[in-house]
């Protein structure tokens, strides 16, 4: 695997992660820009869709399932996220759409084409037996619920991805490789081309994302959140994702899951849970997130891994004490600012740290409470969040604000250790 230089993560600067938008329909036949189109003339006979799914993956009270839909009919049909239902016994769960953002999708699926993507549901915690019995139902345009069939790990995955809609979507690895080249070219010329001229998309630099791992205990399951505010439909091939920990160990997605994809519609948020080959441990920070180009192709001729820190906005792996669904998705900022733009003072009182942030940057800075921790030697004490607000406190540009960090048994920790560093992710922001 290609090795990329390390970066130190500091404060996260962001606009809100979840951005609402009007419904858009993405055509699978045309270019990868979004097109508003009506599906009123699209229909499908009851038996024209073949629906299959693989075993689900769960974390943070949400469940993701790889889904494959083949349109075997003569007419085009529409694939609507709101038509998916996950049934576990008598319980029914609808496609997960958080109130704070728009992550629904609507695709026109042509005759002979296939839809393949992870589909996510808010289920609460399900047992292994319940997960084994989970099945997808899809309501077709004629109102009938079609049940999916379960496929095994020995399935011919290529047969389920032929004529796939993702061939018309920009591969995320290619996106980061193009961004890296664009930024390099821009720094070497006095008159760089703008985004619209170079990519035919003025918002091409507005894709951000975060991976959220369980901070309570090491786990192979990781939640991924992408906010695609570009005008370009994209796709993440799970075989293209690589995490590198501080020991330079490369961790890939679980082998079977490397056959799956996550669609990233333009101007939408995409959420999923995916399993990795090894547990993701908070003691091995910082992690570098890399994406391999050529993910939409079966060819091995282009297998370059790009460190996402070299793109417009890096993908970050953060750890959170996953308690409930709200915590998992409301704490994630989506851009990075540099520490030299932030002036901070710290005041240790009782079980709290008053963190005064003077934002001298042009970004809205957002600090994620659960990524702050006290460290002394091998001992760490993470900040906690009150209630469900595992935090995203925002400080406007050129503004000053006090953020209160709360620690359980703070004074006991300070008394037991002579030298204590307050850190944010891997960055020391104060010494006590």
């Amino acid at each position: 695997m290609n090795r990329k230089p390390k970066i130190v993560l500091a404060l996260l600067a962001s606009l809100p992660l979840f951005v609402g938008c009007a419904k858009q329909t993405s055509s699978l036949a045309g270019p990868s820009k979004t097109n508003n189109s009506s599906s009123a003339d699209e229909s499908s006979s009851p038996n024209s869709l073949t629906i299959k799914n693989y075993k689900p993956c769960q974390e943070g009270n949400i469940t993701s399932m790889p889904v494959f839909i083949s349109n075997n009919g003569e007419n085009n049909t529409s694939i609507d996220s709101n038509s998916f239902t996950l049934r576990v016994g008598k319980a029914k769960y609808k496609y997960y759409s958080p109130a704070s953002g728009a992550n629904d999708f609507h695709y026109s699926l042509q005759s002979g084409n296939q839809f393949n993507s992870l589909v996510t549901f808010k289920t609460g915690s399900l047992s292994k037996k319940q997960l084994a019995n989970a099945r997808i139902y899809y309501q077709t345009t004629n109102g009938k619920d079609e049940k999916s069939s379960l496929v095994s790990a020995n399935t011919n995955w290529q047969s389920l991805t032929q004529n796939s809609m993702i061939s018309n979507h920009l591969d995320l690895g290619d996106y980061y490789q193009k961004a890296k080249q664009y930024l390099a070219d821009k720094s070497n010329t006095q008159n760089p081309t703008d985004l619209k001229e170079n990519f035919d998309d003025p918002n091409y630099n507005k894709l951000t994302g975060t991976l959220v791992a369980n901070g309570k205990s090491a786990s192979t399951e990781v939640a991924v959140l992408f906010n695609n505010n570009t005008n370009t439909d994209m796709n993440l091939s799970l075989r293209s994702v690589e995490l590198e920990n501080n020991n330079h160990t490369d961790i890939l997605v679980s082998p079977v899951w490397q056959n799956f994809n996550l669609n990233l519609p333009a101007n939408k948020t995409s959420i999923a849970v995916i399993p990795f080959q090894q547990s993701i441990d908070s003691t091995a920070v910082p992690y570098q997130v890399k994406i391999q180009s050529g993910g939409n192709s079966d060819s091995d001729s282009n297998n370059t891994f790009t460190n996402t820190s070299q793109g417009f906005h890096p993908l970050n792996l953060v750890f959170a004490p996953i308690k409930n669904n709200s915590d998992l998705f409301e704490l994630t900022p989506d851009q990075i600012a540099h520490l030299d733009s932030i002036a901070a003072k710290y005041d240790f009182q009782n079980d709290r740290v008053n963190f005064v942030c003077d934002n001298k940057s042009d970004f809205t800075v957002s600090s994620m409470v659960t990524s702050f921790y006290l460290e002394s030697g091998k001992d760490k004490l993470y900040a906690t969040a009150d209630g469900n607000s595992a935090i995203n406190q925002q400080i406007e540009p050129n503004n000053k604000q006090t953020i209160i960090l709360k620690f359980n048994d703070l004074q006991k920790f300070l008394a037991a250790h002579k030298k204590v560093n307050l850190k944010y992710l891997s960055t020391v922001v104060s010494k006590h």
Side-chain angles (χ1 to χ4, degrees):
M1 304 295 180
N2 292 344
R3 300 296 175 202
K4 306 296 180 183
K6 299 283 183 183
I7 61 169
V8 177
L9 301 183
L11 294 179
L12 300 178
S14 75
L15 298 174
L17 174 66
F18 298 114
V19 180
C21 61
K23 286 187 177 181
Q24 298 186 349
T25 299
S26 301
S27 172
L28 304 184
S32 61
K33 301 293 182 290
T34 56
N35 301 290
N36 287 328
S37 63
S38 171
S39 59
D41 59 342
E42 297 174 339
S43 61
S44 177
S45 61
N47 299 320
S48 65
L49 295 182
T50 300
I51 306 172
K52 299 180 180 181
N53 70 268
Y54 185 65
K55 295 183 295 185
C57 182
Q58 176 183 261
E59 183 65 281
N61 289 331
I62 67 166
T63 301
S64 291
M65 184 173 285
V67 176
F68 306 87
I69 302 179
S70 300
N71 181 7
N72 305 313
E74 297 180 355
N75 300 319
N76 296 347
T77 190
S78 60
I79 300 298
D80 185 343
S81 57
N82 295 315
S83 295
F84 287 99
T85 301
L86 182 68
R87 296 187 185 181
V88 184
K90 295 183 179 180
K92 298 180 181 180
Y93 306 98
K94 297 300 292 182
Y95 175 78
Y96 177 64
S97 185
S100 54
N103 70 332
D104 55 315
F105 59 78
H106 311 270
Y107 291 115
S108 175
L109 188 62
Q110 292 187 342
S111 173
N113 278 6
Q114 301 201 50
F115 165 90
N116 56 308
S117 180
L118 303 184
V119 180
T120 299
F121 304 87
K122 181 179 179 179
T123 59
S125 181
L126 299 177
S127 66
K128 290 183 178 180
K129 182 178 180 180
Q130 288 175 314
L131 288 172
N133 294 326
R135 289 294 181 274
I136 290 280
Y137 283 77
Y138 184 80
Q139 188 174 72
T140 61
T141 52
N142 61 9
K144 182 178 179 180
D145 286 338
E146 295 288 340
K147 181 181 178 180
S148 67
S149 59
L150 182 67
V151 294
S152 72
N154 297 321
T155 295
N156 180 358
W157 298 111
Q158 187 175 3
S159 67
L160 290 179
T161 56
Q162 289 178 339
N163 301 320
S164 172
M165 50 177 250
I166 66 172
S167 62
N168 294 306
H169 293 184
L170 177 64
D171 170 63
L172 190 65
D174 294 342
Y175 170 83
Y176 272 98
Q177 193 175 59
K178 291 178 180 179
K180 174 185 175 182
Q181 186 62 52
Y182 173 81
L183 292 172
D185 293 344
K186 185 178 180 180
S187 64
N188 293 325
T189 180
Q190 293 182 345
N191 299 302
T193 58
D194 62 20
L195 293 171
K196 181 172 177 56
E197 181 180 355
N198 203 83
F199 301 107
D200 195 26
D201 183 354
N203 296 327
Y204 195 78
N205 62 340
K206 293 185 178 180
L207 179 137
T208 56
T210 305
L211 289 75
V212 184
N214 196 329
K216 285 188 173 181
S217 59
S219 173
T220 57
E221 288 75 28
V222 173
V224 295
L225 306 92
F226 287 94
N227 191 22
N228 183 8
N229 276 336
T230 74
N231 298 323
T232 304
D233 289 324
M234 302 189 200
N235 177 74
L236 172 64
S237 171
L238 299 192
R239 69 180 179 185
S240 70
V241 181
E242 177 182 279
L243 303 179
E244 181 186 321
N245 64 20
N246 63 357
N247 295 318
H248 305 294
T249 299
D250 298 326
I251 304 175
L252 301 176
V253 171
S254 178
V256 174
W257 280 66
Q258 291 183 29
N259 296 289
F260 309 145
N261 298 277
L262 174 63
N263 296 322
L264 309 175
N267 296 297
K268 298 288 182 178
T269 294
S270 298
I271 298 171
V273 176
I274 58 178
F276 281 80
Q277 290 181 352
Q278 302 175 38
S279 294
I280 310 303
D281 194 334
S282 61
T283 62
V285 295
Y287 284 81
Q288 306 298 312
V289 183
K290 303 176 182 179
I291 304 291
Q292 185 183 33
S293 57
N296 286 356
S297 171
D298 292 330
S299 172
D300 293 328
S301 60
N302 188 356
N303 60 354
T304 301
F305 277 86
T306 301
N307 192 320
T308 60
S309 65
Q310 297 174 301
F312 296 114
H313 304 292
L315 300 178
N316 301 310
L317 174 67
V318 299
F319 290 86
I322 298 175
K323 298 178 181 178
N324 56 46
N325 184 76
S326 178
D327 283 342
L328 187 58
F329 296 116
E330 291 182 1
L331 54 74
T332 310
D334 66 0
Q335 289 181 337
I336 288 185
H338 297 291
L339 190 60
D340 56 12
S341 298
I342 308 298
K345 293 188 298 183
Y346 304 87
D347 179 20
F348 291 83
Q349 294 181 353
N350 298 323
D351 284 339
R352 297 174 181 269
V353 176
N354 293 324
F355 165 58
V356 181
C357 180
D358 186 4
N359 183 10
K360 298 179 180 180
S361 73
D362 294 328
F363 298 97
T364 297
V365 172
S366 179
S367 62
M368 184 163 56
V369 162
T370 49
S371 287
F372 281 97
Y373 61 94
L374 298 175
E375 182 180 65
S376 181
K378 296 182 179 180
D379 295 332
K380 296 180 181 179
L381 180 65
Y382 280 83
T384 61
D386 294 327
N388 294 330
S389 59
I391 264 217
N392 193 331
Q393 289 208 33
Q394 298 185 355
I395 302 96
E396 297 297 324
N398 301 306
N399 198 10
K400 183 184 294 186
Q401 183 175 324
T402 298
I403 296 175
I404 298 176
L405 304 177
K406 184 178 180 181
F407 296 86
N408 293 328
D409 299 322
L410 172 61
Q411 295 304 318
K412 183 178 180 181
F413 186 88
L414 294 176
H417 301 87
K418 293 183 178 180
K419 296 181 179 180
V420 177
N421 291 333
L422 175 64
K423 300 182 74 172
Y424 185 79
L425 297 175
S426 60
T427 301
V428 176
V429 289
S430 180
K431 296 182 179 181
H432 181 75

